[in-house]
Amino acid sequence: MASFTLHGIPVSRGIAIGRAHLLAPAALEVKHYLIAEEQVEAEVARLQDALATVHKELQTIWNELPKDSPAELGAFLDVHALILSDPMIAEVPLNIIRSRHYNAEWALVTQIDELSAQFDEIGDAYLRERKADIQQVGERVLKVLTGTAVDLPKPQGDEPAAKMIVVAHDISPADMLHFKNGAFAGFVTDVGGQNSHTAIVARSLDIPAAVGMFNASALIAQDDWVIVDGDAGVVIVDPPQVVLEQYRDRQTRLLRERKKLVRLKKTPAITKDGTEITLLANIELPDDCAAAMEAGAAGIGLFRSEFLFMGRSAFVTKLPGEDEQYESYRKAVAIMKGRPVTIRTLDIGADKPLDAAEQTALNPALGLRAIRYCLAEPQIFLMQLRAILRASAHGPVKILVPMLAHAFEIEQTLAMIEQAKQQLRDAGKKFDANIQVGAMIEIPAAALALPMFIKRMDFLSIGTNDLIQYTLAIDRVDHEVAHLYNPLHPAVLYLLSSIIAAGAREGIPVAVCGEMAGDIKLTRLLLGMGLREFSMHPTQLLPVKNEILNSDLTVLATQTRRILRATDPVAITEAVAQLGAL
C-alpha cells in the first residue's frame, strides 16, 4: 500500500508511532420500523433498560477511576451522566415511541438528530462542540440496544500496547479512560476540534492527537503503520522506512526533553536577562486546580465558569444556583492556597441551550452572547457575581468579563458588580470590597479602542482564539476555512502588540489566555512584544517555562520589532521560527 498523508487539527502535542486500531462507529444508522400498539410499553421498557445499563457503565467507570486521573475525566463522565438523566434523552424518546410507534433505536436517533441540529446553530465554538457529547451518549445507548457494545481493542500478539494508534470517527471521554492506562500511544478522529472534550482530555493526558481528519477512519486500515504528529496535525499512513526513522529519532528526542522539564516545576520563570514572567493556568472546573498546582502555576488566569453550567445548560432548566456556584469558586480558591484565581463570568448566549426557544439569530456568533447575554439576564448575572464575590472572602479572586466592546457595557457591568456588592452587604455576607475587575480583549473593536478599557478596568486579558476569529472573519472549527486561521497574520500581530504595548505604557497588567499563550512556537514572539503574563492549560506550563528560561529579551525585542514591520506571511513565519534559535 502506498504511503499517504492526512492533514487535520493538532490538539495535543508530541509524536506517536504505531499500528492503527480502528474503532467501529456506533450504529447511528439503525433500523426504522413501526411497532404495534400492544408492543409500545415493551419497547419503552427496552429503551429504559438500555439507559439504565449505560448509567451503570458510567458509574462503574467513575468508581474505578485511578486517583491520579486528570480531573477532566471525572468531569466529563459527570457531564455524560447528566445528559443521560436529562428528560430530553431520558423521557422524550419514550414519548416518541408512545406517540409515533417508532422502535426504540429510531426514537432515540430521532431525538439525537433534533438536539444535534439545535447545537449546530450555536454561535459559540466551544458550546457548539458539545453536540459531540450528546452524540457520544446516544451512541453508547444504541450500542446496548443493538447488542454491539464492545470494549476498545486489546493488544494482540507481541505488539506492545503502547504502540497502538486509535483511529475512529469520534471517541467519548469514557472510552478515553483506556488511554490513562497507557494502552494507546495516540489517536486520530474524523471529527472534533480544538475545544472538543476529546481534545481537552488528550491534552490533559498529554497524548499526541490530531482530529478533524474528515474520513481518516475510512482511509486507514486495521494494522496500518501510522505516525501522528500532534504538533502539526499531520497523520502519515504506511510511511517509508526513512520517514519512520526520522520520526522515531524526533520522538526519542522529544521524550528526553520532556522528562527534563519536570525538574523545572519549582524553578522561577525568569528570562536570561532577569525578567520575571508570570505563568498561570486555564481551568474549567475547580478540580482542575490540582493539575495547575502540580505544574507549578502561579495562579489561575482563566476559570471558564460556563463549564459549571454545561452539564445542564443543554437542557435549560437546571442552572447552578448562587450557593452551588459559590462552593465551586470557593473550592478553587482553597486548592490554590493563596494564589490568585481569575474567574471569567458566564461566556454563553441566548443562541444556545440556555434558551433554545430563542434560537432565531441569523448570525449567532455575533449575537446575544457572553456579557451581552448577562446584561440581558440581570438576575442570572447578579447571582453569579454574588457567588464570585463571596468566594473572594476566602482568598485572592479577580473577575474577568468577556466580550466587552462598548463603554456603556463596561459601565453597566461595573454598576451590576456594585449592586451585587450592596446585596451582599445587606445580607451581611463577606467579600473582598477591592476585588479587581478585568476585561477580555477578544473583539477587534475593543483592541482598537483600548483607552476606553484602560481607564475603567484593573487588568486586561487577551482571548486570542476569538480575537483571531473575529479579526480574520473565519470560524476556526469550520473545516472548510480552518486553513485561514492564522495567529501570525499581520493584522493579528498588530492588534496583539498594540494591546501589550498600551498596557505597559499605562501600567495596567495584560495577560494572554488563549491558545497562543501555550504554544511554545510563539512564546518568544510574545515575550518580544512585551508580554509578561501567560495563562494556558496546565500541561503546557513547563514547556513554555523552558522557553522562557532560555530567552533573552534584549535580543528578542529587536527581532520582534522587525517581525511586526513585515507584511509577507512567509517571511513572518520564517522569522518567528528563527526566534527559537536565538
Side-chain angles (χ1 to χ4, degrees):
M1 181 179 178
S3 175
F4 62 92
T5 301
L6 302 172
H7 295 265
I9 302 171
V11 295
S12 186
R13 65 199 173 94
I15 303 294
I17 302 172
R19 290 191 181 277
H21 278 267
L22 298 182
L23 284 187
L28 281 177
E29 293 184 5
V30 297
K31 291 182 179 179
H32 293 189
Y33 57 88
L34 297 174
I35 57 175
E37 176 65 34
E38 60 270 22
Q39 296 175 317
V40 165
E41 289 309 315
E43 197 69 0
V44 166
R46 192 164 72 89
L47 180 51
Q48 288 175 322
D49 288 345
L51 292 167
T53 297
V54 174
H55 257 303
K56 289 179 183 176
E57 287 179 357
L58 293 175
Q59 187 60 52
T60 300
I61 295 171
W62 177 230
N63 291 340
E64 294 177 353
L65 276 177
K67 291 182 179 178
D68 59 344
S69 292
E72 288 91 342
L73 289 179
F76 295 156
L77 289 174
D78 287 340
V79 169
H80 280 203
L82 286 167
I83 291 173
L84 197 61
S85 301
D86 194 277
M88 300 296 283
I89 294 292
E91 296 178 11
V92 172
L94 305 182
N95 295 335
I96 292 175
I97 294 174
R98 291 188 173 106
S99 61
R100 304 183 198 176
H101 289 199
Y102 287 3
N103 62 304
E105 293 88 343
W106 187 6
L108 181 60
V109 169
T110 298
Q111 179 60 5
I112 291 171
D113 288 345
E114 174 66 26
L115 293 172
S116 297
Q118 292 179 14
F119 273 79
D120 284 338
E121 299 299 320
I122 295 174
D124 182 272
Y126 178 83
L127 298 177
R128 187 167 59 248
E129 290 196 20
R130 302 287 72 78
K131 178 179 75 173
D133 294 303
I134 303 287
Q135 293 175 332
Q136 288 166 357
V137 170
E139 288 182 359
R140 211 171 184 86
V141 179
L142 283 173
K143 284 183 175 180
V144 174
L145 282 171
T146 58
T148 57
V150 293
D151 287 334
L152 289 172
K154 302 294 184 185
Q156 296 181 359
D158 57 357
E159 185 69 39
K163 289 187 177 178
M164 295 180 185
I165 305 291
V166 171
V167 180
H169 180 70
D170 197 7
I171 302 174
S172 73
D175 286 336
M176 286 195 68
L177 283 172
H178 292 259
F179 291 117
K180 178 58 184 170
N181 298 323
F184 298 96
F187 72 85
V188 178
T189 61
D190 297 341
V191 298
Q194 282 283 352
N195 295 318
S196 65
H197 279 170
T198 304
I200 293 169
V201 172
R203 286 194 287 272
S204 73
L205 294 176
D206 212 10
I207 296 174
V211 303
M213 291 285 177
F214 289 102
N215 54 356
S217 63
L219 296 173
I220 300 174
Q222 182 76 14
D223 291 329
D224 276 351
W225 274 101
V226 174
I227 296 173
V228 180
D229 185 339
D231 296 311
V234 169
V235 173
I236 305 173
V237 183
D238 280 329
Q241 190 61 32
V242 63
V243 174
L244 198 57
E245 291 305 318
Q246 288 174 349
Y247 270 92
R248 279 179 172 153
D249 289 344
R250 185 176 159 195
Q251 183 186 43
T252 301
R253 189 169 65 253
L254 288 174
L255 289 174
R256 193 184 306 126
E257 292 171 353
R258 196 169 296 179
K259 286 181 180 177
K260 292 181 181 176
L261 293 181
V262 177
R263 304 171 187 168
L264 303 180
K265 176 184 170 184
K266 295 184 179 179
T267 303
I270 299 176
T271 61
K272 284 183 175 179
D273 57 293
T275 303
E276 187 169 359
I277 307 298
T278 302
L279 295 182
L280 306 164
N282 295 346
I283 65 166
E284 288 150 353
L285 291 167
D287 287 341
D288 297 343
C289 290
M293 291 290 283
E294 180 61 27
I300 301 301
L302 177 65
F303 183 160
R304 303 175 69 184
S305 68
E306 60 272 17
F307 207 82
L308 298 174
F309 295 68
M310 288 307 302
R312 43 201 125 183
S313 62
F315 311 117
V316 183
T317 55
K318 299 178 182 176
L319 298 180
E322 178 181 328
D323 287 345
E324 184 179 342
Q325 289 186 62
Y326 158 69
E327 286 299 333
S328 295
Y329 305 142
R330 186 199 57 76
K331 183 177 181 181
V333 172
I335 295 174
M336 293 311 295
K337 297 179 180 177
R339 295 171 174 83
V341 176
T342 302
I343 302 173
R344 182 173 70 184
T345 56
L346 189 58
D347 191 0
I348 207 164
D351 57 332
K352 59 198 172 307
L354 278 179
D355 198 348
E358 294 185 9
Q359 294 178 21
T360 57
L362 293 176
N363 195 341
L366 305 179
L368 193 64
R369 52 168 296 200
I371 190 59
R372 301 169 185 175
Y373 175 84
C374 287
L375 293 176
E377 297 287 348
Q379 295 310 314
I380 292 176
F381 193 33
L382 281 170
M383 180 170 62
Q384 182 179 37
L385 291 173
R386 290 194 299 270
I388 295 173
L389 286 166
R390 288 169 59 191
S392 72
H394 302 277
V397 171
K398 300 178 183 178
I399 296 174
L400 180 60
V401 186
M403 276 206 71
L404 287 167
H406 303 274
F408 73 86
E409 290 176 332
I410 300 173
E411 299 302 339
Q412 288 180 11
T413 298
L414 295 177
M416 292 195 70
I417 292 173
E418 286 305 314
Q419 185 179 349
K421 288 180 178 179
Q422 187 57 49
Q423 290 173 342
L424 291 179
R425 290 190 190 97
D426 294 343
K429 295 181 178 178
K430 296 180 179 178
F431 62 92
D432 177 8
N434 298 314
I435 190 169
Q436 291 190 9
V437 180
M440 284 200 75
I441 304 300
E442 50 192 340
I443 301 174
L448 295 170
L450 211 59
M452 184 167 71
F453 292 84
I454 291 175
K455 181 179 177 182
R456 296 169 171 85
M457 299 308 232
D458 298 311
F459 65 96
L460 305 176
S461 188
I462 306 172
T464 52
N465 302 349
D466 271 338
L467 183 63
I468 296 169
Q469 178 169 250
Y470 287 126
T471 300
L472 303 182
I474 62 111
D475 185 341
R476 61 195 166 100
V477 298
D478 184 341
H479 298 161
E480 299 290 337
V481 295
H483 63 288
L484 299 175
Y485 184 86
N486 181 13
L488 297 182
H489 190 287
V492 174
L493 298 184
Y494 169 77
L495 291 177
L496 277 173
S497 61
S498 297
I499 299 167
I500 295 169
R505 277 197 310 273
E506 302 298 333
I508 182 170
V510 175
V512 168
C513 62
E515 288 292 325
M516 287 183 73
D519 187 342
I520 59 171
K521 297 190 294 295
L522 304 176
T523 301
R524 297 189 183 206
L525 176 67
L526 293 172
L527 287 171
M529 289 182 183
L531 186 70
R532 301 295 179 260
E533 196 169 302
F534 296 65
S535 189
M536 66 203 77
H537 191 279
T539 59
Q540 295 160 316
L541 278 165
L542 292 179
V544 170
K545 181 185 286 186
N546 187 50
E547 283 293 301
I548 291 169
L549 295 175
N550 290 289
S551 297
D552 186 336
L553 299 188
T554 58
V555 176
L556 291 179
T558 303
Q559 296 301 320
T560 301
R561 282 195 291 272
R562 292 175 181 166
I563 292 173
L564 294 175
R565 287 195 294 269
T567 55
D568 178 62
V570 175
I572 292 174
T573 301
E574 290 177 352
V576 171
Q578 289 170 1
L579 286 180
L582 295 177

